[in-house]
Amino acid sequence: MTLLKCLGVASLSTLLAFSSTVTAQQPTGSQQPQGWMWGFGVAASQDVYTDFDNRIVPIPIVGYTGEKLRVYGPFMGYELFREKGFTLDAQLVPVFAGYEEDDSAVFTGMEDRDFSYAAGVGLNYNTGSWVYSLSTNADILGKFDGYQASARIGKQFRVDNFMIEPSVGVTYQDSNYVDYYYGVRPEEATALRSAYYGDSALNTEVRVAVSTRQFLGGMTRLEVGATFFDDSISDSPLTDDDTALSAILVYTRFF
């Protein structure tokens, strides 16, 4: 199985954590370093699909940070506005979701669901030690033809050379997204797998991140979290749980 496909079948919570880690580790502001960076990560995740193996996935990283442009692997952002703690970015982000028929017996006889790519915007506001973020993006490859939106609040605590940031958030996924990745089409229904139309979902997430620049001249960040899925996902005949745990460790440094 390729790395991209491994990422594609990782849990939503891990991939959201990876996206958050990308954002957190991108330098912002002219006083911060700019240029090319490299690094690596390891993601561990559960998934709510039935009989879906837990994943431990290595993630090679190459990125670039300029005055406004940021590229971090497949994640890209361009700063549109900055004023008094507010930043607004245009974003291109991968949608690492989906499965192949042979990933689990529950998918036997079903068509594969593909990963996609999305375009959107992200708004962040930093005030004191509090961090607020809003983002939304829509499918641009015509895979699920839907959109997602998220809101998050976190608080930063500095302990010696470590930054600790607990956060809570919600992610809305429209019915097109949920039905594509968790629905069962009438022609895919069997005696053991009923047809299912996935309605929109509002998932809740809690995470704790710890980051430091103490090691090997770069940024190291560990993030652990849990996602609590909406009933429209946990009620799908393709799933057997409503909670997924995740962890990701990422190291990056500039060339």
Side-chain angles (χ1 to χ4, degrees):
M1 182 175 284
T2 65
L3 172 62
L4 185 58
K5 190 57 186 177
C6 284
L7 286 171
V9 297
S11 73
L12 173 65
S13 56
T14 292
L15 295 165
L16 289 173
F18 182 52
S19 179
S20 174
T21 300
V22 167
T23 301
Q25 297 202 122
Q26 301 253 17
T28 55
S30 58
Q31 77 277 14
Q32 298 289 353
Q34 297 182 12
W36 289 93
M37 67 178 71
W38 64 274
F40 58 87
V42 178
S45 68
Q46 297 176 321
D47 208 295
V48 294
Y49 287 124
T50 301
D51 295 330
F52 213 80
D53 293 337
N54 295 339
R55 300 287 179 177
I56 299 177
V57 182
I59 306 170
I61 298 168
V62 175
Y64 171 80
T65 296
E67 183 177 354
K68 294 184 178 293
L69 176 66
R70 298 188 302 276
V71 180
Y72 200 99
F75 296 83
M76 290 182 281
Y78 187 84
E79 185 180 294
L80 301 174
F81 173 82
R82 175 181 294 271
E83 183 71 29
K84 297 180 180 179
F86 285 94
T87 57
L88 177 67
D89 288 351
Q91 299 174 337
L92 290 174
V93 297
V95 180
F96 290 134
Y99 51 81
E100 293 179 349
E101 182 181 356
D102 59 2
D103 286 332
S104 170
V106 76
F107 305 133
T108 300
M110 297 188 65
E111 291 187 14
D112 295 346
R113 303 300 198 263
D114 298 324
F115 68 88
S116 192
Y117 215 70
V121 294
L123 177 66
N124 293 283
Y125 177 57
N126 296 339
T127 176
S129 60
W130 291 92
V131 181
Y132 304 88
S133 63
L134 296 170
S135 65
T136 184
N137 58 71
D139 179 21
I140 59 175
L141 297 186
K143 300 299 184 180
F144 61 89
D145 287 324
Y147 70 94
Q148 304 178 81
S150 64
R152 179 167 297 279
I153 179 173
K155 184 172 176 60
Q156 297 176 332
F157 301 89
R158 183 169 292 280
V159 179
D160 295 328
N161 294 312
F162 293 84
M163 181 70 75
I164 302 172
E165 183 180 335
S167 64
V168 296
V170 293
T171 296
Y172 173 84
Q173 295 166 329
D174 77 344
S175 58
N176 285 353
Y177 180 102
V178 177
D179 189 52
Y180 181 73
Y181 289 116
Y182 297 98
V184 178
R185 299 163 184 165
E187 64 272 19
E188 296 172 329
T190 67
L192 299 177
R193 184 181 62 220
S194 60
Y196 184 78
Y197 173 78
D199 203 353
S200 59
L202 187 66
N203 307 316
T204 305
E205 303 145 14
V206 294
R207 294 206 295 267
V208 177
V210 180
S211 57
T212 182
R213 296 188 180 275
Q214 284 292 98
F215 306 118
L216 303 174
M219 168 70 81
T220 303
R221 182 177 173 93
L222 172 66
E223 189 160 350
V224 296
T227 299
F228 306 94
F229 289 89
D230 191 284
D231 288 348
S232 63
I233 291 177
S234 62
D235 288 345
S236 166
L238 303 179
T239 66
D240 63 357
D241 206 344
D242 61 1
T243 304
L245 303 178
S246 64
I248 185 166
L249 176 66
V250 173
Y251 170 83
T252 57
R253 66 175 296 171
F254 285 87
F255 286 106

